[in-house]
Amino acid sequence: MLKVIGLKKKYGKHTALAGLDMNIKKGQVYGLVGPNGAGKTTAIRLIMGLSHMDDGQIIINGTDARKKPLKVKEMIGYVPDNCGSYFNMSVNEYMEFFAAGFGISGIKAENRNLKLLEQVGLEDKVEFIADTLSRGMQQRLSLARALIHDPEFLIMDEPTSGLDPRNSFEFKRLVKELKKSGKTVLISSHLLSELSEICTDIAVIENGMLAAQGSLTEILGRIEHSNPIKIVV
Ligand code: ATP
């Protein structure tokens, strides 16, 4: 589903990514874990085409992201680390706005949006102003928005960061449901413990490089045998 090869990015003289490689297969829930500043958001922003890479290659479902950025964007649902402002829109207006961006409108949009809001447990919040929702609800709204065009692949940047245990649990339950329905997911966190319940595979990123990659069992095994993966568990 996603192949990242030798991805490099500098901000001025600072190297954020120093040749990152990743390989995500269809159906995997792939965790990208690393400490603050490791390069997780930079990698995700490059994959989403929101920032330019200095070098490397990103292939999504066989398509080179640099050559066909729009085609690639249609294949992905993106949950950013920061939703930004909702411009005083209600939950319903917010969903309609993004549905229109994918050419979905009228009764089709109404039905689709209601189904997605039900899926994330926000069906009783349709008239609420999105800015007034709790962080947990906003993250679930962000997930509903990411699913509008029914993408095969979801990319989530630290979606459980700052959530209380109940909201974090609920978000992870939704990710498990997405896996069951056949979606492929890339999800980042600075805590392996946040990802260990939901991920099949883990990549550990440190200083903009891949420090370890493998199944969850392999990575946990390496930590247990004190192989030097210096991440917070
Ligand atoms: P966090 O968990 O704190 O979000 P991260 O793993 O997502 O961290 P990035 O946000 O990708 O890390 O940052 C990687 C490095 O690049 C950090 O040293 C950061 O300070 C730097 N960086 C990120 N964005 C910029 C920018 N726009 N300009 C300058 N430096 C940046």
Side-chain angles (χ1 to χ4, degrees):
M1 176 60 84
L2 172 73
K3 224 176 209 171
V4 169
I5 306 158
L7 199 58
K8 290 187 182 169
K9 176 73 181 176
K10 274 187 174 186
Y11 296 108
K13 285 187 181 162
H14 178 75
T15 300
L17 291 179
L20 180 70
D21 298 312
M22 283 197 285
N23 193 359
I24 306 183
K25 298 194 178 74
K26 279 192 185 181
Q28 283 183 333
V29 178
Y30 185 99
L32 183 62
V33 64
N36 292 130
K40 303 180 294 296
T41 297
T42 301
I44 287 174
R45 287 180 58 81
L46 292 181
I47 295 166
M48 289 307 303
L50 298 170
S51 178
H52 290 289
M53 65 177 91
D54 296 333
D55 200 4
Q57 214 180 3
I58 298 169
I59 311 283
I60 298 174
N61 231 349
T63 301
D64 188 322
R66 220 168 1 179
K67 291 185 186 149
K68 296 196 171 160
L70 290 180
K71 185 175 174 197
V72 154
K73 265 190 190 144
E74 280 171 13
M75 289 187 237
I76 306 176
Y78 176 43
V79 179
D81 58 340
N82 181 354
C83 304
S85 170
Y86 297 93
F87 303 104
N88 226 19
M89 281 190 263
S90 70
V91 165
N92 209 23
E93 287 165 342
Y94 181 74
M95 291 293 285
E96 274 177 7
F97 176 78
F98 281 95
F102 286 104
I104 308 167
S105 59
I107 191 76
K108 203 174 161 201
E110 248 175 65
N111 291 338
R112 174 118 193 99
N113 292 344
L114 185 59
K115 191 170 159 240
L116 290 171
L117 290 171
E118 277 169 1
Q119 189 176 336
V120 302
L122 292 177
E123 68 277 16
D124 57 342
K125 301 285 185 288
V126 284
E127 300 302 333
F128 278 52
I129 298 296
D131 279 304
T132 66
L133 297 179
S134 71
R135 166 130 174 101
M137 287 178 194
Q138 285 181 350
Q139 283 303 76
R140 283 185 274 136
L141 177 57
S142 192
L143 180 57
R145 194 215 63 222
L147 290 166
I148 283 176
H149 58 302
D150 197 19
E152 269 186 82
F153 184 28
L154 284 134
I155 298 187
M156 309 177 182
D157 193 359
E158 301 208 38
T160 59
S161 172
L163 297 190
D164 62 39
R166 198 172 63 84
N167 275 293
S168 174
F169 176 86
E170 179 52 20
F171 195 93
K172 286 185 273 190
R173 192 188 64 75
L174 293 169
V175 174
K176 282 184 203 164
E177 274 182 14
L178 291 173
K179 177 179 166 35
K180 269 192 214 154
S181 72
K183 306 276 186 205
T184 308
V185 180
L186 166 60
I187 180 167
S188 74
S189 176
H190 57 274
L191 292 172
L192 181 58
S193 54
E194 267 305 293
L195 301 179
S196 55
E197 285 167 49
I198 46 174
C199 290
T200 50
D201 295 80
I202 299 282
V204 181
I205 178 173
E206 281 178 3
N207 300 319
M209 296 271 290
L210 194 66
Q213 180 171 231
S215 70
L216 178 67
T217 325
E218 280 162 2
I219 296 293
L220 290 174
R222 285 185 62 178
I223 290 167
E224 207 169 291
H225 294 100
S226 62
N227 213 319
I229 303 171
K230 302 182 284 300
I231 48 172
V232 188
V233 290

